[in-house]
Amino acid sequence: MLLLLLGIIVLHVAVLVLLFVSTIVSQWMVGNGHATDLWQNCSTSSMGGVQHCFSSSANEWLQSVQATMILSVIFSVLSLFLFFCQLFTLTKGGRFYITGVFQILAGLCVMSAASIYTVRHPEWHSTSDNSYGFAYILAWVAFPLALLSGVIYVILRKRE
Amino acid sequence: MAAGAPSSSPSPILAALLFSSLALSRVQAIVVYTDKEVHGAVGSQVTLYCSFWSSEWVSDDLSFTWRYQPEGGRDAISIFHYAKGQPYIDEVGTFKERIQWVGDPYRKDGSIVIHNLDYSDNGTFTCDVKNPPDIVGKTSQVTLYVFEKVPTRYGVVLGAVIGGVLGVVLLALLLFYLIRYCWLRRQAALQRRLSAMEKGKLHKAAKDSTKRGRQTPVLYAMLDHSRSTKAASEKKAKGLGESRKDKK
């Protein structure tokens, strides 16, 4: 029983870490010498290795991607907090519904953020020789893990 | 002596009065407020707000003046003037027939509206207010930027999405808990009523038995006094007791 609890917590924390890294690190799209992400574009000049960073454009779609990524982090943190609350206050045999609901919401937010980014990214940078960076991949990885974690919470029953 | 005394005594008082009036007048000033920047789209209209604070009451000689300095230019031309209750609008310059007075002097508002914007309207507008006797003060400037399409400020969409989704989720949670609380309360009320009904039936049965119990000792007490045979008295008591039972 304790092992199961530990496993679930580890999964939840892993999802949280993935979401944080994906939101903050600047590697959603990488090209030769420059990397862009949700918050800034950084480019390293070829000579001297000096890095210039500019803020990303104020495009509405980019703002909605930022907003949904932030929301997913918020929901995941709330879900962790509610899990510990419910662990001590739930009656025997009860299910962790609220925790699961918030975790599933976090997963849906990450999915919508990554989808909007995939569809609309030509609007705010025009260069075409770009490949997706690792932060983008982490966002897509976090989505099924978050859903899985949420579903586990909904199915799980509290035992003594 | 008589000539000397009046000349010396009023002068320090006069000097003091003059100094105090100068000091007071230095505190008095008009403060003009406008926006710092205004964004407008080509072809649409834009409102240039101007308000002021004055240490005097709003007088009838209140005047507003709007000046325009084109972007990169050095001269400022006067495009609007309001004095003595009458607005004077530019009828020959670049803002011909495009300015509308929407201010209210008694509300300390000296705003104008510029219609049909064009790229050549980019520049700095200065609002100058004079409220006699309060005429010393700084003017305030507002810069007009004309765009093809007004860009939304950064953070509006971000804040709206975050706030909207969080609000909806919180509302849904509240509603869910409210409905569950009402349902549980109704269940508890029903349960109470059911158990009360059951208790009531048992209580009624118990009441009846105690009543009967209370009356028979009286009968026995009366029968003791009569001194008749025990069997006969017992038979009588039994009969009476049974009849009483049947009545119930």
Side-chain angles (χ1 to χ4, degrees), chain A residues 104-149:
Chain A
I104 290 177
L105 272 176
L108 288 176
C109 280
V110 174
M111 182 201 72
S112 60
S115 324
I116 295 175
Y117 190 89
T118 313
V119 170
R120 294 275 174 179
H121 72 83
E123 270 189 27
W124 54 79
H125 56 77
S126 44
T127 49
S128 51
D129 60 341
N130 280 337
S131 59
Y132 289 108
F134 78 88
Y136 175 79
I137 296 174
L138 282 183
W140 276 114
V141 166
F143 157 57
L145 284 181
L147 277 187
L148 183 73
S149 172

Side-chain angles (χ1 to χ4, degrees), chain B residues 5 8 57 97 102 110 150 161 173 190 200:
Chain B
S8 58
W57 292 106
E97 285 170 18
V102 294
V150 182
V161 170
L173 226 72
L190 274 166

Side-chain angles (χ1 to χ4, degrees), chain A residues 71-94:
Chain A
L71 272 174
S72 74
V73 169
I74 290 175
F75 282 140
S76 196
V77 167
L78 270 176
S79 167
L80 192 67
F81 173 67
L82 282 170
F83 174 63
F84 282 114
C85 274
Q86 283 200 305
L87 203 61
F88 295 118
T89 64
L90 208 59
T91 57
K92 186 172 163 180

Side-chain angles (χ1 to χ4, degrees), chain B residues 20-97:
Chain B
S20 63
S21 71
L22 274 171
L24 278 171
S25 70
R26 212 146 285 174
V27 171
Q28 279 177 9
I30 282 200
V31 183
V32 182
Y33 304 107
T34 59
D35 293 324
K36 205 148 179 209
E37 283 185 4
V38 171
H39 299 254
V42 177
S44 75
Q45 68 186 41
V46 71
T47 310
L48 301 173
Y49 292 104
C50 179
S51 179
F52 68 95
W53 179 87
S54 169
S55 51
E56 297 284 328
W57 292 106
V58 172
S59 76
D60 293 326
D61 291 333
L62 179 68
S63 72
F64 289 100
T65 309
W66 279 97
R67 289 197 191 84
Y68 168 66
Q69 181 180 16
E71 194 179 6
R74 275 180 44 194
D75 303 322
I77 58 170
S78 181
I79 60 167
F80 176 83
H81 187 68
Y82 175 92
K84 290 188 171 49
Q86 178 73 20
Y88 300 92
I89 297 180
D90 176 18
E91 278 163 28
V92 295
T94 42
F95 291 95
K96 174 157 93 160
E97 285 170 18

